[in-house]
Amino acid sequence: RDSTTVTQGTVTVLNDPVTAQYTHTLTVTTAGVYMCTVANNKPSSASSASFTLEGPPHPTDVTAVQDSPTSIRVIWTPPSPLGDTTGYRISFTGGSDVDIDGGSTNSYTLTGLTNGQTYTISIVAIVPNRPTSAPFEVRGITLVGVPEKPVVDMDSIETSPTTITISWALPPDVTGSEVSWELTEQTRRIQVRNAERGTSGQLPADQNSYTIDKLRSGTSYDITVTVFNPAGSSSTTFTRSTEGGMTVAESTSCECDNTSAIIGGVVAVAFMITTSLTVIVVVILVL
């Protein structure tokens, strides 16, 4: 046989000169190529024949990706044609087989796994009363934890009137980074109409620097660096200002809101209305 998963065996048939034909049935559960040999004891002679036992078509395009620190999602393309396939059996390192109903099912999440362990996963198609398909195996899926926060090198930050350039240290097992920015809360309060923000989008796994451009001169920004891996993400946020002009700290001497200005404006408007009404009353009296 072409595989070691089925034990070889020998069947002895007693000599019966009357019977012209002998029959023996071997029950197997795995598809493959089988070799059958019939031998005479006396005189010694033998004859062999091979037989290929076809199983159902196996799923294709099988992939396994980490879904969380303790789970792996297995994704596949069902056999085509689907035929009588009623489900699938997933086997994985250190765990019991999982049977999944539905021939058209194309994914399953293995849960309760161990972070840091490497898993080998295989999947076969199931058809009633037939051997399982040849297994499709995915090797070497190592579960990783949520990445550590990126460490931004504050001493290497470069600024200009319209740009801020930053760099950070990449934690292990990072698959990408992202930089986002927005006006600081104090800046937004003073410059209500300019609630600007932006993002770099996800950067390549090996990129650890970025230049934010098209910023306003002398303006403070909250900048966030986020790193990703299959288990999740973590972020670091800090504040930096562009060069030139007056920053928020220079343009105000207190942490205050616009209440005084609003009250002053209301008083001024009320005074103008009162004055106008007085003029109208005087004119009427004169007339």
Side-chain angles (χ1 to χ4, degrees):
R1 190 175 178 283
D2 63 351
S3 173
T4 59
T5 57
V6 174
T7 304
Q8 295 182 357
T10 302
V11 177
T12 301
V13 180
L14 296 177
N15 182 28
D16 185 348
V18 177
T19 303
Q21 179 175 311
Y22 295 95
T23 300
H24 176 71
T25 300
L26 174 64
T27 302
V28 296
T29 58
T30 305
V33 178
Y34 291 83
M35 179 67 69
C36 177
T37 301
V38 179
N40 291 327
N41 289 334
K42 295 178 181 180
S44 179
S45 64
S47 178
S48 299
S50 64
F51 179 80
T52 301
L53 182 63
E54 297 287 351
H58 59 69
T60 58
D61 302 324
V62 182
T63 58
V65 295
Q66 181 171 345
D67 204 41
S68 78
T70 58
S71 65
I72 294 175
R73 186 171 182 80
V74 185
I75 306 167
W76 64 89
T77 299
S80 181
L82 192 60
D84 297 327
T85 301
T86 59
Y88 303 90
R89 178 171 296 133
I90 295 180
S91 305
F92 61 98
T93 307
S96 302
D97 292 351
V98 179
D99 286 349
I100 304 159
D101 293 332
S104 59
T105 304
N106 64 354
S107 67
Y108 185 80
T109 300
L110 299 171
T111 59
L113 306 180
T114 302
N115 187 257
Q117 183 170 332
T118 301
Y119 289 87
T120 297
I121 301 169
S122 64
I123 180 172
V124 296
I126 298 175
V127 174
N129 302 319
R130 291 186 63 184
T132 59
S133 69
F136 198 112
E137 190 171 83
V138 180
R139 293 180 177 272
I141 304 299
T142 303
L143 289 177
V144 297
V146 176
E148 301 173 358
K149 289 185 177 182
V151 178
V152 178
D153 187 353
M154 298 298 180
D155 295 332
S156 67
I157 295 178
E158 300 178 359
T159 60
S160 77
T162 59
T163 64
I164 299 176
T165 299
I166 61 175
S167 61
W168 58 94
L170 289 172
D173 304 314
V174 169
T175 57
S177 304
E178 182 181 65
V179 178
S180 59
W181 60 92
E182 64 178 343
L183 295 175
T184 60
E185 183 179 355
Q186 188 176 355
T187 305
R188 292 198 301 271
R189 288 206 306 266
I190 294 174
Q191 304 176 8
V192 179
R193 291 176 300 175
N194 298 315
E196 68 177 43
R197 58 178 55 90
T199 177
S200 65
Q202 187 155 333
L203 304 172
D206 58 350
Q207 183 171 338
N208 67 335
S209 64
Y210 188 78
T211 297
I212 307 170
D213 58 6
K214 299 179 181 178
L215 303 178
R216 291 206 303 274
S217 174
T219 304
S220 297
Y221 292 87
D222 288 333
I223 303 171
T224 300
V225 179
T226 304
V227 291
F228 304 90
N229 74 7
S233 63
S234 60
S235 303
T236 297
T237 300
F238 61 97
T239 300
R240 212 65 167 186
S241 298
T242 53
E243 295 179 0
M246 290 190 301
T247 63
V248 173
E250 295 170 337
S251 62
T252 180
S253 59
C254 66
E255 289 287 340
C256 56
D257 55 26
N258 295 328
T259 303
S260 298
I262 293 172
I263 293 174
V266 171
V267 172
V269 172
F271 178 77
M272 293 174 62
I273 293 173
T274 302
T275 303
S276 299
L277 290 175
T278 301
V279 171
I280 293 172
V281 170
V282 171
V283 171
I284 291 174
L285 291 174
V286 171
L287 293 176

